[in-house]
């Protein structure tokens, strides 16, 4: 697979919290860092995601905000 996004972080799925329509997928990317993504349950099933799987967080955004 090729992708145009340049921000791809490899990690391991450590938790999937399923809802009715969406799920939160928590990805451990190492160094004590985690990324959480909310995706549809259809995507969870289509990708056959489960805890322990290796996966990528692909970040594609037109802006990143920082606040204090």
């Amino acid at each position: 697979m090729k992708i145009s996004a340049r921000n791809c972080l490899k990690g391991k799925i450590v938790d999937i919290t399923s809802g009715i329509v969406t799920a939160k997928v928590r990805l451990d990317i190492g160094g004590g860092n985690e990324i959480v993504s909310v995706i549809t349950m259809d995507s969870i099933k289509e990708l056959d995601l489960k805890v322990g799987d290796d996966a990528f967080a692909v970040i594609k955004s037109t802006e990143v905000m920082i606040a204090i």
Side-chain angles (χ1 to χ4, degrees), residues 9-16 25-29 43-57:
L9 305 170
K10 186 175 182 181
K12 186 171 291 289
I13 298 174
V14 293
D15 187 50
I16 299 174
V25 179
R26 192 161 45 105
L27 192 67
D28 181 349
I29 58 171
S43 292
I44 295 282
K45 292 173 187 169
E46 187 175 315
L47 295 170
D48 192 27
L49 298 179
K50 45 196 172 308
V51 173
D53 286 350
D54 289 330
F56 290 89

Side-chain angles (χ1 to χ4, degrees), residues 11-66:
K12 186 171 291 289
I13 298 174
V14 293
D15 187 50
I16 299 174
T17 305
S18 299
I20 296 170
V21 177
T22 61
K24 289 182 185 177
V25 179
R26 192 161 45 105
L27 192 67
D28 181 349
I29 58 171
N33 298 298
E34 295 181 341
I35 290 183
V36 176
S37 179
V38 177
I39 64 174
T40 65
M41 287 300 297
D42 286 345
S43 292
I44 295 282
K45 292 173 187 169
E46 187 175 315
L47 295 170
D48 192 27
L49 298 179
K50 45 196 172 308
V51 173
D53 286 350
D54 289 330
F56 290 89
V58 180
I59 302 161
K60 182 81 173 180
S61 177
T62 56
E63 62 183 82
V64 175
M65 295 181 189
I66 297 176

